[in-house]
Amino acid sequence: MNLPAELVSLLRACQRAAALTGAGVSQESGVPTFRDSQSGLWAQYRPEDLATPEAFRRHPKLVWDWYAMRRARADSVAPNPGHYALVAMARQIADFTLITQNVDGLHARAGSPNVIELHGNIRRVKCFDCGKPAAEWHGDGQSVPTCAACGGLLRPDVVWFGERLPPEALEAAWAATRACQVFFSIGTSGLVQPAASLAHVAKEGGATVVEINLEPTPLTPWVDFFLRGKSGQILPALVTAVWG
Ligand code: OAD
């Protein structure tokens, strides 16, 4: 793979880097990206119409089942070489922060330490009413499980459209983004704020911005290096080129 020599030497000397990942990083594991067309029972809905508090209020069972299907999918797949290359980067770069929009937990399963999960995690569940996390729940398949504390309906602990991101996660992401020398935007369409603005903040702070994606995105005209292709191929090639 032809990787820019300038980027390779920059990374060799890099002390502080941050990476933002999106659904594209898990695509090669067999997790459909967020904006891929839906299949089966959910083909008639747009993901944007299911991932909202209003959708859950209107059709709690439909939304619960959609996440149950996605949870089962995430559980049944394994991290891919892109996830593992990010683990390797964290070992090589003194200060490396991994920020993800993915809720599938695959970065942690691959072994990445201290992942900042901006949009939550599909394996965790909390009460829609009182917000209390549910350590365990029992679904009978017929109805949405309820909170042991208040009887409210349980929901996945992910960030829905119109909801605030977890403040500590967001603050940590901003701090790493402002401090980094190199910022990676990997497998994300860059359409959802505030995650999408991180790359711009990094650039304004003087960082070199590197994008890895199958397709150009709205960010592409702004980046210093656009590496077009699959993250599961480009990231391992980059790690090998830089650190051997
Ligand atoms: P999207 O589905 O919007 O975008 C996936 C991106 O990955 C696209 O730009 C693809 O071109 C790219 N892609 C696909 N396969 C790839 C591969 N093998 N290697 C590299 N790139 C690849 O997913 P996100 O950008 O993650 O939030 O979406 C961001 C957020 O939008 C999601 O976290 C979700 C949604 O709102 C919430 O649910 C809160």
Side-chain angles (χ1 to χ4, degrees), residues 21-25 27-28 33-36 51 67 101-102 119 159-161 187-192 212-215 217 229-232:
T21 64
V25 168
Q27 184 264 342
E28 289 157 82
T33 63
F34 196 75
R35 289 177 173 76
D36 265 351
Y67 278 96
Q101 298 164 91
N102 298 342
H119 291 169
V159 177
W160 280 334
F161 290 98
T188 175
S189 57
L191 296 174
V192 175
I212 300 174
N213 201 303
L214 279 182
E215 308 286 344
T217 71
K230 294 186 170 186
S231 52

